[in-house]
């Protein structure tokens, strides 16, 4: 079945970096854009950016530009999101989510990973 | 402040219908038919309920329906059931550099 499986929870100190992985299975990884969305405790969903697994092209929300890097490894159908210079307000659950568009970007997300909790604390 | 505006909470009794609104601008909701709705239960990942304004993914109950008028999209849930109690988020494609914007979320309580 189509699924996205993310890496496990992380605890980081302020100023450090975190890299979250998202392994896709059950579909052609390079055929669909991948989004990253985060959710702080008790808060709503926040879009961070997307990566085109086919080309490696990316687009980041302005809020995260300069701190976030999205990459992929097509040989293992895995997408990555790295966030640097972590602050306490980066504490959140981070999700990867597949775009519904086949080969194009629509903005709707039909398959979600289980989420990765990132805690930033000194 | 979220880019799309949703009511913080709505409630209804079992069997009733409720509607959640999602207001944006001509640069997002009003300009594109790429409005989506997500259901999120506590501690779970969001689940796509509606995409492209009114399309339901396979497996989603036909009690869920979506529509749009101008800059406002709506999610209607008919025949409310206890398991519908959750948070609901709208999102839209946007012409801004953000590409995707979410609403602040609406907590649905089934009385």
């Amino acid at each position: 079945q189509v699924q996205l499986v993310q890496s496990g929870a992380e605890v980081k100190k302020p100023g450090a970096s975190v890299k979250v992985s998202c392994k896709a299975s059950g579909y052609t990884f390079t055929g669909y854009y991948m989004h990253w969305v985060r959710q702080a405790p008790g808060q709503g969903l926040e879009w961070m950016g997307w990566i085109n697994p086919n080309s490696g092209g990316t687009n980041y929300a302005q809020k995260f530009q300069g701190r976030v890097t999205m990459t992929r490894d097509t040989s293992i159908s895995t997408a990555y999101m790295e966030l640097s210079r972590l602050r306490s307000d980066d504490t959140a659950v981070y999700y990867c989510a597949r775009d519904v568009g086949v080969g194009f970007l629509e903005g709707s997300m039909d398959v979600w990973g289980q989420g990765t909790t990132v805690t930033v604390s000194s | 402040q979220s880019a799309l505006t949703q009511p913080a909470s709505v409630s209804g009794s079992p069997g009733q219908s409720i509607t959640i609104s999602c207001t944006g601008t001509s640069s997002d909701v009003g300009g594109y038919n790429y409005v989506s709705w997500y259901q999120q239960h506590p501690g779970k990942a969001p689940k796509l309920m509606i995409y492209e304004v009114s399309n339901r993914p396979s497996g989603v109950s036909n009690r869920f329906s979506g529509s749009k008028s101008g800059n406002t999209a709506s999610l209607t849930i008919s025949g409310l059931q206890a398991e519908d109690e959750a948070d609901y988020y709208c999102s839209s494609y946007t012409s801004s550099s953000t590409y995707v914007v979410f609403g602040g979320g609406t907590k649905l309580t089934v009385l």
Side-chain angles (χ1 to χ4, degrees):
Chain A
Q1 71 282 24
V2 175
Q3 64 177 350
L4 300 174
V5 178
Q6 299 182 222
S7 49
E10 303 263 12
V11 179
K12 297 291 182 181
K13 293 192 181 301
S17 297
V18 67
K19 190 171 186 177
V20 179
S21 68
C22 170
K23 183 170 177 61
S25 62
Y27 73 97
T28 302
F29 176 65
T30 52
Y32 298 79
Y33 284 68
M34 190 76 78
H35 299 269
W36 288 88
V37 175
R38 77 177 188 179
Q39 186 171 36
Q43 302 301 308
L45 302 173
E46 181 175 31
W47 181 78
M48 298 181 69
W50 55 252
I51 181 169
N52 179 343
N54 187 42
S55 66
T58 56
N59 185 278
Y60 307 138
Q62 189 169 10
K63 174 178 179 177
F64 300 103
Q65 285 186 8
R67 284 208 304 144
V68 70
T69 304
M70 297 176 188
T71 57
R72 92 293 191 215
D73 184 338
T74 57
S75 69
I76 55 172
S77 299
T78 300
Y80 302 91
M81 186 285 298
E82 183 171 20
L83 189 62
S84 63
R85 303 194 300 278
L86 290 168
R87 307 185 292 255
S88 58
D89 60 358
D90 290 317
T91 294
V93 177
Y94 290 77
Y95 295 100
C96 59
R98 189 186 79 167
D99 196 281
V100 300
V102 182
F104 68 95
L105 183 69
E106 182 185 302
S108 301
M109 304 161 208
D110 63 344
V111 182
W112 291 67
Q114 83 276 20
T116 296
T117 299
V118 175
T119 303
V120 182
S121 175
S122 55
Chain B
Q1 187 174 0
S2 302
L4 304 180
T5 301
Q6 299 181 232
S9 63
V10 299
S11 63
S13 299
Q16 289 186 331
S17 294
I18 64 94
T19 297
I20 300 172
S21 62
C22 171
T23 301
T25 69
S26 58
S27 295
D28 38 65
V29 173
Y32 303 91
N33 287 325
Y34 289 146
V35 176
S36 308
W37 290 92
Y38 301 89
Q39 176 192 66
Q40 187 179 35
H41 287 109
K44 301 294 187 182
K47 175 186 177 183
L48 180 65
M49 305 302 285
I50 296 287
Y51 67 102
E52 293 174 0
V53 177
S54 59
N55 290 335
R56 279 187 308 275
S58 174
V60 172
S61 170
N62 59 10
R63 298 186 298 106
F64 292 83
S65 62
S67 63
K68 188 183 81 168
S69 178
N71 295 336
T72 298
S74 298
L75 172 71
T76 298
I77 308 173
S78 59
L80 268 180
Q81 299 179 0
E83 60 261 36
D84 298 333
E85 185 163 293
D87 293 326
Y88 291 84
Y89 294 90
C90 64
S91 78
S92 174
Y93 183 91
T94 172
S95 59
S96 78
S97 59
T98 309
Y99 276 87
V100 175
V101 289
F102 283 100
T106 298
K107 181 176 180 59
L108 168 62
T109 300
V110 180
L111 302 170

